[in-house]
Amino acid sequence: MITLLIIEDERSLMESMVSYLEPGGYRCITADTYHEALKQIDRFDYYCVVVDLNLPDGDGLKIIRLLKENQAKCGIIVISARDTLNDRIVGLQTGADDYLVKPFDLSELNARIQSVIRRTRYTGFNQIIFRELTIDPDGKTAQLNGELLDLTRKEFDILMYLITNKNRVITKDAIAEHIWGESIYGTDYTEMVYTHMKNLRKKLQQKTGTDWIQTVYGSGYRITEDE
Amino acid sequence: MKLQSQSSIYLSSFSLIVFVIIGVVFYSLLRKLSNDELDAILQEERIEVLSNPELLLVGNQAGAPFFSRLVANEIANYPGNQEYYYDSVSVVKVTGQQAAIRCLRFYEIVQEQPIEFILFKSKLPAEQFVRQIILFISFIAGLFLLGIYLMNQFAFRRIWKDFYTTIQSLDNYNPKQKALQLKSSHINEFRTLNQEIEKMTRRISETYDNLNNFTSHTTHEIQTPLAVIRLKSELLMQTSNLDNEQLQLIESIGDNSRHLSQLNRSLALLFKIDHQHYSTSGIFYPATGILRQLDNLSDLIDLKEIKLSTILPPEISVGIDPSLGDILVHNLVKNAIVHNLPGGTLDIKLKPGSLRFTNNGPEPLYPTDHYFAEFVKGRDSKGLGLGLSLIRKICEVSGLSVKYTYDKGIHQFDVKWPEKNGKSG
């Protein structure tokens, strides 16, 4: 089973992350202090460690250094309210594989965890199978029953995001932020999301005959594994 | 003007005025003394003339002992025993030039005939003497002025040395560093000044630290509950059996928490720029940042069918912090796209020392400068109303100028920087 270590002092945040991630097939070990995190580090062979930098009794960066010194195979994702370019550079240079600024969407955290695990654990060729779809995340291609889907880069990214968070409602805001980043805030992105989503659904529907993506009224979209 | 130059000018001007006054008084005094001396000689000669009547008889004849100094004119009435001293001029026969003379006019009856006598004496030797004295005094005054100037220069450097050290320290002072530690001065006033500056910078540094900590903690503390709201609303959305109304309510909670997070982050960024968290130097290449943002917003450009034209030489740079430069061009590009009209145009021109954004857009509701203030939004804006405030703030702290103008449907942003502040080629 894929085991994750979540180091976060804010219990509400930690519980929310666990509630979202566990149904996705992860086992989540948690630590809400620096010292608790040190105890937990050696207990399991973690696939990914999600670490907050501001801990009440220590610095999250020290945990990252420790993991790197022990040559741990796990991926490391920083979650922090520190949002300057310099903070991100320091976090990544210390050894983190990704840096997520709080507040974030759970769907985004999930996507980042999966991406980090793919990069750190399955360095060779790896595919994602979803229903009749075979996805190559590195080549950014998707095949349906062996036939290549003609998707634009953004359509592919949206499809990957939905599949990573399959059976969950993903808001259009979360999709917009995932695709365009924070800079999209303040623009009329709803229509952009809608246009890309419409094209993606059309392309999928042409090949499968059914619409895999559901519109959740007024909120967002969901891709489901079942008919 | 430098303090030293100003001080030298004051001191020299004052000394010059004093010397001129002293010179005038001294000259008048010497003139008076010289005249008194001549008057005394003329009086002695008058007594001598009167005591030798034969001299009077030869008064106007050539070869007479007083001929050159005595003139006798017959007059109709004897005015009495009167005498007058006065200055006049006489023509020197040999050279034909006029020469100053001192005269004594008196009256006497000689052989029953009233006669006006004028005794006179050349003032030339006395005037030459006075002139020499004045020249000598002027020379001494000149030397004195030069001495004062040189002494002032020397004394100034020594006395004000501590003051200039203090100014240099203040010039280099940054609230990020601890309070200034200034050298003690042997001059009481400067010692007091340094002590007060040390106290003041200690207070500034403490205030800076407190404000910094407060903002950093506030930002963090606000982000945490906002993150909780966002995550909980996302989890809530995953629960089954929600009707459309409930879904919309949850979506609205998520939307607003997202808005608050952005607001908090942008205000924190404004604070950080204001409080010099960023470097005031660096090299930023605007073309790279602009192209990246244009690429990121290409969907929006396509959606609005904006006609884009750019002149972006990649080698042109601006001497500002690269992350601030990125935020600056990022906001300029976003502003020109978001507030553009469907089918509008966007021209971006980068030249050494200037960057210009020209785009179509609706007529502004307020005077253009008003939009640089915080929370002033354009028509139907979905943003925070902080984009232009960030642009202005970054320009302010980085030594750039920004101008926003509107004319007949065209909005124009001009950012300029001194060319030595950047490089090209």
Side-chain angles (χ1 to χ4, degrees), chain B residues 256-273:
Chain B
N256 282 292
S257 77
R258 208 178 283 267
H259 187 88
L260 263 178
S261 300
Q262 288 295 335
L263 189 63
N264 187 32
R265 212 171 277 172
S266 297
L267 285 173
L269 179 62
L270 270 173
F271 173 85
K272 283 177 185 169
I273 297 170

Side-chain angles (χ1 to χ4, degrees), chain A residues 6 8 13-14 16-17 20-21 50-52 77-81 99-110 112-113 161 174 177 182, chain B residues 223-224 226-234 257-258 261 265:
Chain A
I6 298 173
E8 165 64 60
L13 286 182
M14 188 205 281
S16 301
M17 287 187 262
Y20 191 90
L21 294 169
V50 177
V51 56
D52 182 15
I77 297 177
V78 168
I79 47 169
S80 174
Y99 193 105
L100 197 53
V101 176
K102 285 182 188 173
F104 47 79
D105 293 302
L106 289 167
S107 50
E108 184 64 32
L109 175 68
N110 189 25
R112 303 270 186 120
I113 289 172
Y161 193 49
E177 207 169 305
E182 281 179 1
Chain B
Q223 288 293 28
T224 307
L226 282 173
V228 174
I229 295 170
R230 190 151 148 193
L231 265 54
K232 296 288 182 197
S233 65
E234 202 180 345
S257 77
R258 208 178 283 267
S261 300
R265 212 171 277 172

Side-chain angles (χ1 to χ4, degrees), chain B residues 235-246:
Chain B
L235 280 177
L236 188 59
M237 200 171 267
Q238 309 308 329
T239 54
S240 51
N241 305 322
L242 291 173
D243 62 29
N244 289 344
E245 197 182 342
Q246 288 165 329

Side-chain angles (χ1 to χ4, degrees), chain B residues 408-425:
Chain B
K408 293 172 190 146
I410 302 290
H411 298 254
Q412 189 163 294
F413 280 86
D414 279 297
V415 179
K416 291 190 173 159
W417 56 92
E419 275 198 59
K420 64 176 174 53
N421 199 11
K423 288 187 288 186
S424 71

Side-chain angles (χ1 to χ4, degrees), chain A residues 10 12-13 15-17 19-20 54 81 83-85 101-107 154 167-169 171-174 177 179-180 182-189 191-192 195-196 216-219, chain B residues 219-220 223-224 226-228 230-232 234-235 237-238 244-245 247-248 251 254-255 257-262 265 272 278 293 295-300 303 322-323 330 334 338 381-384:
Chain A
E10 185 60 47
S12 273
L13 286 182
E15 283 161 13
S16 301
M17 287 187 262
S19 300
Y20 191 90
N54 282 353
D83 65 343
T84 65
L85 184 65
V101 176
K102 285 182 188 173
F104 47 79
D105 293 302
L106 289 167
S107 50
K154 287 192 175 100
N167 304 321
R168 313 286 183 100
V169 179
T171 63
K172 54 187 180 305
D173 300 327
E177 207 169 305
I179 302 295
W180 292 283
E182 281 179 1
S183 65
I184 203 65
Y185 197 79
T187 68
D188 195 3
Y189 53 78
E191 201 166 336
M192 283 152 59
T195 308
H196 286 296
V216 181
Y217 180 78
S219 314
Chain B
T219 311
H220 184 251
Q223 288 293 28
T224 307
L226 282 173
V228 174
R230 190 151 148 193
L231 265 54
K232 296 288 182 197
E234 202 180 345
L235 280 177
M237 200 171 267
Q238 309 308 329
N244 289 344
E245 197 182 342
L247 278 168
Q248 269 186 322
E251 166 78 0
D255 256 4
S257 77
R258 208 178 283 267
H259 187 88
L260 263 178
S261 300
Q262 288 295 335
R265 212 171 277 172
K272 283 177 185 169
Y278 290 90
Q293 177 71 334
D295 181 52
N296 197 35
L297 297 179
S298 60
D299 287 304
L300 203 57
L303 193 75
S323 48
H330 174 109
K334 191 163 155 183
V338 169
S381 172
K382 291 182 167 61
L384 303 166

